[in-house]
Amino acid sequence: MNALISFVAVIVLIIISFVGAQTLGLSYLFAVIIPYLAISIFIFGFVYRVIKWARAPVPFRIPTTCGQQKSLSWIKNNPIENPHNWLGAFIRMALEVLLFRSLFKNTKTTLKDGPRLVYGMNQLLWLGGLLFHWSFLIIFIRHFRFFMEPVPWCIKALENLDGFLQIGLPVVFMTDIFIVAAVTYLVLRRLTDSKLRYISLVADFFPLFLILAIAVTGILMRYFTKVDIIGVKDIAVGIFSFNPVVPDGISSLFFIHLFLVSVLISYFPLSKLMHMGGIFLSPTRNLANNNRVVRHINPWNPKVKMHTYEEYEDEFREVMREAGMPLDKE
Amino acid sequence: MSETLKQEELVQIDYKPPGTGWMDTKPDIRKGKINWGAVQKSVEYLDLPNPRKWSPTDDDWQLPKDWKKIILEGMRERIEKFRTFQVFMDICVRCGACADKCHFFIGSGDPKNMPVLRAELLRAVYRKEFTLAGKLMGKMAGARDLTEDVLKEWFFYFFQCTECRRCSVFCPYGIDTAEITMMGRELLSLVGLEIDWITTPAANCFRTGNHLGIQPHGFQDSVDFAVDDLEDIIGIKVEAPVNKKGAEILFVVPSADYFGDPHYFGFLGYLALFHEIGLDYTFSSYASEGGNFGLFHSNQMMKRLNSKIYMEAKRLGVKWVLGGECGHMWRVINQYMDTMNGPADFLEVPKSPITGTVFENARSTKMVHITEFTADLIKNGKLKLDKSRNDQWRITFHDSCNPARAMGILEEPRYIINSVANNFFEMPENCIKEQTFCCGGGAGLGTEENMEMRLRGGLPRANAVKYVHDKHGVNVLTCMCAIDKAVLPTLIDYWVSGVQIGSVHELVGNALVIKGEKERTLDMRSDPLPGKEETEDV
């Protein structure tokens, strides 16, 4: 049901942009106003959210330790899974962000007769997630070819790498295939695994369908319908040079693509997609486990009612005396 | 109660979620799956809100009239105070990696025991009240009104989490369900939804220093009793000073160590060890509980109970503090104590008086773990050890959740065990070290009325023990956590049978060759040592 709602929502968005840009001729709205609006929402929203998180204090130092602590000199510690300084924590974070290290450890628990619990390897989600995120990033960077004139060498180099299989004309980018495959997998696993279906919200399917639609419209434009690339580049360069233009004869497929991207980036700061920023601020991962070496300060360390030794001895003096225990006040 | 639950029935676990969505499925609140509400006296003693006589099985939980306002205000306050709370509410993508990592989910199949859904219970209300998307789109955005039923669901599931943090190892963002459960429990406490096996031990610890509420002379008796028991075993009457001013070291253990079985055998091990090395130390009857039930209650309660250790170290004028085998006690010492009650600038950087080793890793807290201390003694050849005195045991080691995942003390106990015994066997790797499974009764849930959930939640741990029991003939599960030692006997007996629970320092006590000891025929349990069985009859 949640999947269906999300799917329909994306279809409606496609229809809106198709009708709006094509039938109603609102191309300026879709090529200029909405993208500007979306970029503004994205930037302000993203920054607002990150600042809000960053301003919240970290009262306690609570890293999840996944390896041996640094203690006695002759015991080999694990400086990454149980970092004892900022460098270890930095490497741990880098591995987390770049390679999804925690997800790589994923296991699948199965209950067999006996009863016997078995923990199998389960790296499919890791692979799907990694392919998806890296493909998304590379495709995003590749798009800079549309915003920049002349196209920087590094973008060209990335394109060459992405298309190094040299299949088809225009050359097929591997990331185009990967992203469609990975998103399809991510949707299918939410639909087929009963546990995941149970926990999945509209907010889990919607971005997947949205990104799938963006990828498909992009692929259609590149490989099949051959959109007017000069006109598209004029629009893109126009937006980023604050000198927007809308040439005639741009395919409605482009308007759909651009509108869906606009929706995605406006939706971003309101949604779970903010995990992109939040992962860097997760106190169980980005702190070193050095609490016993360096005192961590809680800015709001509360005053609490304590029970002092004097109160304790006052209450129990008689029995303590009888038991021959030392007393502060005789 | 465990006798009436049939194994065959408990293992019929259906991992398929029910037909109704989780927001429309009510929890099955009944004995076996819940913990009794806190007794009025304890709530009052600690000045906590809404003291009354109540039970979670009642229809009316006697909440204060403005309970909803109190909870929402409490949420707002915690959102401002804890970055964890904000970030963990905001960034979960529900990827499901945590789902089958929770021992309660594995053992019960209840989808709300998937860490992701446990957190969604809070998140849904958070979205409704504190996010734009939730306010605008309601249920579509996964938002939900806070009702009395929702609150009851919180109570049910936040007291079905042992704060073990296994899920946070696998979460790609490090979302820590222990932190979420702690927030949930703090909120529940604001309207008087407390469980007795947290609040009463906390009240007892606050007043008398130990979780059973035993008064100072009773504590002294326990220590004297242990000295006598040890004398029967080793033939030497050791010193065990209590509240001794000017001692070099304050030794703090969880209070179960001197009242509980099998903890007690490890306690005898400590006494023997300290005698052998001539350690200048003292117990304190006032700070006689290292274990901290406040951790399961709220950050304030944790601070209140923990404050005694430093205050007592100061009063007695010791140089540094040594801590015994315990689980959550060490999470508090490692991750909270110095922040809450430090700086301990009146103490010295811990230095072993026997080996001269300076414990740089405890430079600021000034508190050393007993296995760090003992491992250092062994490494430096300060102990004479007879491994064969542990040959009656085929040993495995259970990493307790908090020392493993909130500290990383993994190799010290293994080094000690391998130095004092011959037969050590690891459980499968997905069940040890940072992937270790909870005993099922941590974080205040080790009660009789919660037995069904304990047995279910303990299944993964017990199952791994059964594996090494069948394969290697393992007959003792050692661990260094007072809660483990309290709840594992029931659990292992139920699922495995034929495996005892022991302490690391029980094995140390067995193997330790003490100057001037009589010919040892008994182990720390007062059972005959291997090869000495016949002497029993003499």
Side-chain angles (χ1 to χ4, degrees):
Chain A
M1 186 62 194
N2 285 346
L4 193 66
I5 294 171
S6 308
F7 185 75
V8 170
V10 173
I11 298 292
V12 168
L13 292 173
I14 291 172
I15 293 171
I16 290 174
S17 51
F18 180 77
V19 173
Q22 196 72 20
T23 318
L24 303 177
L26 300 171
S27 54
Y28 195 80
L29 176 70
F30 282 90
V32 179
I33 297 175
I34 290 176
Y36 271 131
L37 205 61
I39 293 169
S40 316
I41 293 174
F42 176 76
I43 293 172
F44 284 112
F46 195 95
V47 170
Y48 171 79
R49 291 292 293 275
V50 171
I51 288 179
K52 190 158 177 281
W53 287 331
R55 284 171 63 133
V58 181
F60 306 113
R61 181 175 280 262
I62 54 162
T64 307
T65 58
C66 300
Q68 171 62 34
Q69 66 167 356
K70 184 172 165 60
S71 57
L72 298 161
S73 58
W74 47 273
I75 292 180
K76 194 175 161 0
N77 65 310
N78 186 331
I80 294 166
E81 294 286 20
N82 190 341
H84 62 276
N85 57 19
W86 71 269
L87 181 65
F90 180 83
I91 295 171
R92 189 184 199 194
M93 276 307 291
L95 290 172
E96 203 65 83
V97 172
L98 300 174
L99 297 175
F100 303 0
R101 188 177 168 92
S102 292
L103 206 51
F104 183 71
K105 295 177 191 163
N106 200 10
T107 55
K108 186 177 169 59
T109 309
T110 322
L111 179 63
K112 303 201 166 166
D113 282 344
R116 197 161 61 88
L117 284 163
V118 182
Y119 311 94
M121 300 264 283
N122 184 18
Q123 271 68 42
L124 211 55
L125 174 60
W126 170 80
L127 185 67
L130 203 68
L131 274 180
F132 166 68
H133 283 84
W134 274 105
S135 299
F136 196 106
L137 179 67
I138 291 168
I139 291 170
F140 174 73
I141 295 172
R142 276 206 277 101
H143 276 65
F144 279 81
R145 109 163 348 265
F146 300 112
F147 314 141
M148 302 170 99
E149 190 58 55
V151 178
W153 67 268
C154 50
I155 305 277
K156 288 184 182 159
L158 187 68
E159 281 182 350
N160 287 337
L161 198 66
D162 198 355
F164 93 105
L165 290 178
Q166 298 286 334
I167 303 167
L169 198 76
V171 168
V172 172
F173 288 133
M174 286 179 293
T175 50
D176 288 349
I177 298 170
F178 288 155
I179 198 166
V180 172
V183 174
T184 307
Y185 161 71
L186 293 175
V187 171
L188 286 179
R189 71 183 280 278
R190 282 197 187 273
L191 289 173
T192 52
D193 184 326
S194 61
K195 294 198 296 291
L196 278 162
R197 203 163 58 232
Y198 199 66
I199 61 175
S200 295
L201 304 170
V202 174
D204 296 315
F205 288 108
F206 177 67
L208 288 174
F209 284 126
L210 192 60
I211 289 165
L212 190 61
I214 290 169
V216 169
T217 48
I219 287 168
L220 286 176
M221 279 190 284
R222 174 173 168 85
Y223 302 103
F224 300 101
T225 66
K226 305 281 189 289
V227 75
D228 171 11
I229 198 77
I230 308 291
V232 167
K233 185 152 184 169
D234 285 345
I235 294 181
V237 171
I239 287 177
F240 284 95
S241 59
F242 296 101
N243 191 13
V245 287
V246 185
D248 286 335
I250 304 282
S251 136
S252 54
L253 208 50
F254 170 73
F255 286 105
I256 296 172
H257 186 72
L258 185 61
F259 181 66
L260 295 180
V261 171
S262 301
V263 171
L264 179 69
I265 63 173
S266 337
Y267 177 70
F268 201 102
L270 294 171
S271 68
K272 69 167 192 176
L273 301 180
M274 280 304 291
H275 67 266
M276 173 182 162
I279 184 170
F280 294 95
L281 292 169
S282 179
T284 57
R285 288 286 187 276
N286 68 7
L287 292 171
N289 176 37
N290 61 354
N291 307 46
R292 285 199 285 158
V293 185
V294 184
R295 182 167 180 246
H296 180 83
I297 305 291
N298 174 3
W300 50 264
N301 197 10
K303 279 236 174 317
V304 294
K305 188 178 167 195
M306 295 177 182
H307 190 67
T308 63
Y309 178 81
E310 289 69 35
E311 292 167 303
Y312 168 87
E313 192 182 294
D314 284 347
E315 183 175 357
F316 296 115
R317 186 165 295 115
E318 282 318 305
V319 291
M320 289 174 78
R321 182 177 293 130
E322 277 168 35
M325 300 170 79
L327 294 170
D328 273 5
K329 285 187 218 156
E330 283 302 330
Chain B
M1 182 166 183
S2 54
E3 297 80 43
T4 60
L5 294 164
K6 296 237 174 340
Q7 267 198 36
E8 311 81 74
E9 287 166 23
L10 273 198
V11 295
Q12 298 304 317
I13 302 165
D14 186 5
Y15 292 108
K16 211 168 156 294
T20 49
W22 66 264
M23 288 194 194
D24 306 315
T25 310
K26 280 197 177 186
D28 172 24
I29 297 177
R30 63 169 167 81
K31 190 167 179 242
K33 292 187 164 189
I34 46 135
N35 295 274
W36 299 135
V39 301
Q40 195 164 340
K41 205 175 97 194
S42 304
V43 178
E44 278 164 358
Y45 187 76
L46 292 168
D47 306 308
L48 297 169
N50 199 13
R52 71 209 181 284
K53 192 175 179 324
W54 76 288
S55 164
T57 51
D58 297 342
D59 281 335
D60 180 8
W61 285 12
Q62 304 165 59
L63 299 171
K65 274 199 188 63
D66 55 346
W67 67 268
K68 190 168 171 179
K69 192 167 148 258
I70 295 172
I71 296 271
L72 293 180
E73 204 36 60
M75 280 181 87
R76 185 182 312 282
E77 185 192 334
R78 280 159 187 78
I79 288 166
E80 282 163 16
K81 280 181 164 177
F82 291 89
R83 185 181 297 167
T84 44
F85 193 31
Q86 269 191 40
V87 172
F88 294 168
M89 286 294 103
D90 286 332
I91 66 172
C92 176
V93 300
R94 287 163 297 281
C95 73
C98 58
D100 58 358
K101 308 305 179 286
C102 174
H103 50 285
F104 282 122
F105 177 70
I106 295 172
S108 74
D110 182 341
K112 281 176 204 158
N113 274 322
M114 293 191 275
V116 49
L117 268 196
R118 201 186 309 280
E120 287 290 303
L121 295 176
L122 264 185
R123 239 176 240 133
V125 173
Y126 167 81
R127 288 192 198 102
K128 178 79 192 177
E129 301 289 339
F130 300 97
T131 70
L132 188 61
K135 279 178 191 154
L136 293 179
M137 315 230 295
K139 205 174 170 181
M140 287 264 281
R144 186 191 202 193
D145 277 319
L146 177 60
T147 64
E148 210 166 310
D149 280 341
V150 170
L151 198 69
K152 288 185 175 180
E153 206 173 28
W154 284 8
F155 178 85
F156 190 69
Y157 288 106
F158 291 132
F159 291 103
Q160 262 181 33
C161 165
T162 47
E163 303 181 350
C164 83
R165 308 179 103 203
R166 190 170 190 267
C167 50
S168 89
V169 169
F170 295 92
C171 175
Y173 315 119
I175 296 175
D176 179 8
T177 305
E179 188 76 358
I180 288 168
T181 293
M182 286 157 89
M183 294 297 144
R185 290 182 179 188
E186 285 193 8
L187 293 171
L188 290 166
S189 166
L190 296 177
V191 293
L193 299 180
E194 320 235 348
I195 68 168
D196 197 49
W197 186 236
I198 292 175
T199 309
T200 293
N204 285 337
C205 290
F206 195 64
R207 175 167 173 249
T208 64
N210 61 72
H211 74 287
L212 294 174
I214 293 178
Q215 300 190 1
H217 55 303
F219 170 79
Q220 181 71 55
D221 281 351
S222 294
V223 174
D224 293 344
F225 200 72
V227 168
D228 291 344
D229 272 355
L230 188 64
E231 188 182 6
D232 291 343
I233 298 167
I234 67 172
I236 301 169
K237 193 169 179 81
V238 302
E239 294 238 352
V242 176
N243 297 353
K244 177 182 153 194
K245 285 195 175 173
E248 182 173 358
I249 293 165
L250 169 64
F251 185 48
V252 180
V253 298
S255 58
D257 278 15
Y258 38 82
F259 300 130
D261 175 348
H263 313 62
Y264 184 67
F265 313 126
F267 187 73
L268 297 183
Y270 299 146
L271 295 183
L273 174 70
F274 296 160
H275 166 80
E276 171 61 13
I277 61 175
L279 196 70
D280 178 18
Y281 77 105
T282 182
F283 289 102
S284 158
S285 64
Y286 162 72
S288 55
E289 173 68 282
N292 191 323
F293 281 82
L295 173 68
F296 315 143
H297 184 278
S298 60
N299 70 81
Q300 277 98 341
M301 190 62 68
M302 190 190 334
K303 181 174 175 175
R304 288 170 77 176
L305 299 184
N306 175 260
S307 63
K308 291 183 171 191
I309 297 178
Y310 279 155
M311 289 200 290
E312 185 68 343
K314 194 168 191 173
R315 185 183 77 87
L316 295 174
V318 301
K319 288 186 180 161
W320 55 277
V321 189
L322 184 62
E325 294 180 18
C326 192
H328 62 284
M329 159 177 166
W330 275 97
R331 173 152 201 220
V332 175
I333 291 164
N334 188 47
Q335 299 200 323
Y336 297 100
M337 176 160 84
D338 201 6
T339 300
M340 290 180 158
N341 292 310
D345 44 15
F346 49 89
L347 297 173
E348 294 176 13
V349 175
K351 179 177 170 184
S352 170
I354 318 301
T355 65
T357 301
V358 177
F359 293 92
E360 290 290 345
N361 64 322
R363 166 166 286 282
S364 179
T365 47
K366 321 286 198 295
M367 189 151 176
V368 174
H369 192 287
I370 183 73
T371 59
E372 294 168 343
F373 181 76
T374 305
D376 173 64
L377 290 172
I378 296 172
K379 183 75 179 177
N380 284 288
K382 299 293 181 189
L383 304 180
K384 194 170 169 209
L385 299 162
D386 179 357
K387 286 187 176 192
S388 70
R389 289 186 190 170
N390 279 313
D391 279 351
Q392 71 275 38
W393 297 123
R394 296 178 70 79
I395 305 158
T396 193
F397 179 70
H398 160 65
D399 289 277
S400 306
C401 310
N402 286 299
R405 286 184 284 259
M407 189 171 180
I409 186 159
L410 309 173
E411 297 305 330
E412 291 87 344
R414 286 176 169 78
Y415 175 78
I416 295 174
I417 293 170
N418 280 311
S419 304
V420 300
N422 287 312
N423 312 306
F424 178 66
F425 307 93
E426 288 279 14
M427 284 182 276
E429 66 168 331
N430 292 111
C431 312
I432 55 167
K433 299 189 175 175
E434 77 275 9
Q435 297 195 36
T436 189
F437 276 107
C438 178
C439 59
L445 309 187
T447 64
E448 195 63 26
E449 67 270 19
N450 191 38
M451 189 55 82
E452 183 184 332
M453 282 317 289
R454 275 173 58 187
L455 296 176
R456 289 182 178 282
L459 174 63
R461 168 42 72 226
N463 208 241
V465 173
K466 187 166 180 0
Y467 179 82
V468 283
H469 174 66
D470 293 346
K471 191 171 173 192
H472 303 292
V474 160
N475 60 3
V476 68
L477 173 64
T478 52
C479 54
M480 37 178 209
C481 165
I483 291 180
D484 281 334
K485 291 169 197 171
V487 306
L488 281 172
T490 314
L491 178 82
I492 299 300
D493 217 37
Y494 182 82
W495 289 112
V496 189
S497 84
V499 178
Q500 303 289 315
I501 311 301
S503 301
V504 175
H505 278 77
E506 176 187 344
L507 302 182
V508 173
N510 287 345
L512 189 65
V513 179
I514 302 165
K515 287 180 282 294
E517 68 181 356
K518 68 174 185 185
E519 193 200 339
R520 293 272 287 271
T521 56
L522 301 174
D523 66 10
M524 292 291 131
R525 299 184 178 222
S526 296
D527 289 333
L529 283 170
K532 306 285 183 185
E533 291 84 354
E534 306 81 41
T535 59
E536 277 285 86
D537 303 325
V538 176

